[in-house]
Amino acid sequence: MVLRYGEEECALTLRDLIETTWCTNYITIGNFSTTPFFAVMNQDKYERLSESEKTIVQQATGIETAIKSGSVFDEDGKKGRKLAEDNGAQVYEVMGNNLAEWKEALDPIFDAWVNEMEKDGLPGGEIYQRALELKEELR
């Protein structure tokens, strides 16, 4: 994760963030982002795995793992927020009508990403729509 505050940039993992000093004075929290994580594997390589190896891959992926990973991410976020607040950061929570304004402001960024992916021959629109669907399904 890279946090940017003005010209200062801090490259951190969430655990680093919890265990080290805070590098920003302001945090904005709102339901306007999604952080997808996914695992991909070449189908031919997967087919060459032994049954026990396939079982390990299946146990390490899927909805149960996604839910558990999301819970860890949420807990780390709470710890990071507390650390930030304990170090004087101001936290702004965007809700209600303000959330609609943020969505409107952020939509061009998402649109630009989709257009860039599709310009490169990738299904950006499909990926983005599926990410939104998963966001709702896993909420």
Side-chain angles (χ1 to χ4, degrees):
M1 168 186 297
V2 176
L3 299 174
R4 172 165 251 142
Y5 177 67
E7 294 301 312
E8 184 177 355
E9 191 173 277
C10 301
L12 306 165
T13 67
L14 285 176
R15 294 221 185 273
D16 290 337
L17 187 62
I18 292 166
E19 296 169 0
T20 62
T21 58
W22 188 250
C23 66
T24 189
N25 294 322
Y26 306 96
I27 300 172
T28 303
I29 298 174
N31 186 22
F32 42 72
S33 69
T34 302
T35 307
F37 292 91
F38 53 91
V40 294
M41 184 173 192
N42 179 292
Q43 187 68 41
D44 291 335
K45 297 284 185 184
Y46 179 79
E47 295 302 331
R48 288 187 216 146
L49 296 175
S50 68
E51 288 305 312
S52 64
E53 290 169 326
K54 288 179 184 177
T55 299
I56 291 169
V57 170
Q58 292 165 357
Q59 290 173 345
T61 60
I63 191 71
E64 292 85 13
T65 301
I67 291 169
K68 184 174 182 177
S69 298
S71 295
V72 170
F73 193 82
D74 290 345
E75 286 304 311
D76 281 353
K78 290 175 188 174
K79 291 174 186 175
R81 178 181 177 162
K82 181 178 179 339
L83 176 66
E85 289 175 328
D86 289 350
N87 283 281
Q90 295 178 15
V91 177
Y92 300 95
E93 292 198 48
V94 180
M95 295 183 254
N97 291 338
N98 291 335
L99 191 56
E101 292 175 25
W102 273 77
K103 182 182 180 325
E104 184 178 326
L106 293 170
D107 278 347
I109 297 169
F110 300 135
D111 293 342
W113 180 86
V114 167
N115 291 335
E116 184 178 327
M117 293 299 106
E118 290 184 349
K119 185 179 82 179
D120 290 341
L122 300 169
E126 291 176 41
I127 293 168
Y128 180 66
Q129 287 305 313
R130 184 62 180 138
L132 293 177
E133 290 169 8
L134 288 170
K135 177 182 176 183
E136 291 304 315
E137 286 176 29
L138 299 174
R139 188 176 300 260

